[in-house]
Amino acid sequence: MSINQVPATQTVVGEPEVVEDRSADAARSRAREFERSVPWLRIKAAATALQRMQAQDGSIPVAAQHDRARTETRRLVRAVRAAAADFPHDSEYLAAVVADLERWSAEGFGVPDFRDSLVAFSPQRHRVDGLRHLVVFPMYTQNGSPDRHLEAVLVEVIWPDFVARLETRYTNEQFVSLRLVDFTPGYQTNSAVLFPETVSVRAVPDYTWGAIFSDREAA
């Protein structure tokens, strides 16, 4: 075999859990640079384009805009799928986001219902300092606006050792401390929040988490 040839198959050597750990580490490393990635830029662009077509309740009522809305939704779906490998801890959630987006488009862009993806999103299970989440939801815009527009937010968990120690004494299993890394226009504010009750859903689920942007709170 010449030095330019690559075997058709390659055997992965090592214990399965070691290989899995290395894969997870590689994904976390990619996620730390995600705000500069092509999938993220495409997610932001498609979500922002859809925002401009949405009415206050999150629907897209103008039928003449639906062809463009479907195009932007497909772009958003492709970008979320491309990003999923960098967020293995959110794989169930991101798959549900894709399904919710595709259903919203197929049903004619009525009032969005992202209950399934909201139920699947569980940041409180991964309180690891520096861990990132890709969040895509139709949400009430910040600063008290009633608009429920599609937003894309890249966040990072703040969970240093001293917070972990405090949590052993003052327990709140639903609390997550985050910082904003990058976001679509609705999050251009110092009073941003990420709570389940801001998401557009058909029926309110039991709340299992609540996130505070500690960097914005400090500001």
Side-chain angles (χ1 to χ4, degrees):
M1 182 182 293
S2 73
I3 60 173
N4 293 322
Q5 291 179 306
V6 178
T9 59
Q10 296 183 358
T11 302
V12 177
V13 179
E15 294 295 331
E17 62 270 19
V18 173
V19 174
E20 184 176 339
D21 287 347
R22 289 174 179 170
S23 176
D25 288 344
R28 285 191 64 181
S29 179
R30 292 192 303 269
R32 291 191 192 102
E33 305 293 328
F34 189 71
E35 67 270 29
R36 291 185 286 276
S37 71
V38 171
W40 173 244
L41 296 177
R42 289 175 175 170
I43 288 169
K44 285 180 64 179
T48 301
L50 286 163
Q51 285 178 8
R52 298 190 183 109
M53 292 180 265
Q54 289 181 280
Q56 185 181 82
D57 64 3
S59 67
I60 300 178
V62 180
Q65 294 181 320
H66 285 186
D67 283 346
R68 185 187 170 201
R70 281 189 286 269
T71 297
E72 295 297 344
T73 302
R74 286 193 294 269
R75 288 175 179 166
L76 181 55
V77 163
R78 287 196 298 269
V80 170
R81 283 177 171 154
D86 294 347
F87 302 89
H89 48 286
D90 287 330
S91 58
E92 181 182 353
Y93 160 66
L94 293 174
V97 164
V98 165
D100 283 342
L101 284 166
E102 291 179 331
R103 185 180 64 254
W104 184 46
S105 175
E107 293 179 353
F109 298 105
V111 176
D113 169 25
F114 277 52
R115 188 182 193 278
D116 293 346
S117 50
L118 176 59
V119 170
F121 187 50
S122 299
Q124 80 284 0
R125 297 179 184 173
H126 307 283
R127 295 189 291 186
V128 178
D129 195 46
L131 188 71
R132 288 188 169 189
H133 296 282
L134 169 61
V135 184
V136 180
F137 281 126
M139 295 184 278
Y140 289 110
T141 310
Q142 309 301 309
N143 287 326
S145 169
D147 295 342
R148 291 190 291 184
H149 290 170
L150 199 67
E151 301 285 354
V153 189
L154 180 62
V155 303
E156 184 174 286
V157 177
I158 300 175
W159 207 259
D161 289 343
F162 80 89
V163 173
R165 288 194 298 271
L166 283 172
E167 182 65 15
T168 64
R169 182 175 180 184
Y170 305 101
T171 58
N172 182 348
E173 294 180 354
Q174 297 183 354
F175 167 67
V176 187
S177 175
L178 302 177
R179 78 175 182 91
L180 279 167
V181 178
D182 201 7
F183 41 83
T184 43
Y187 270 78
Q188 188 64 49
T189 170
N190 280 335
S191 61
V193 298
L194 182 60
F195 293 145
E197 55 263 41
T198 67
V199 179
S200 179
V201 294
R202 65 185 179 274
V204 178
D206 292 334
Y207 297 142
T208 57
W209 59 271
I212 297 293
F213 290 110
S214 296
D215 56 333
R216 294 302 172 95
E217 291 292 320

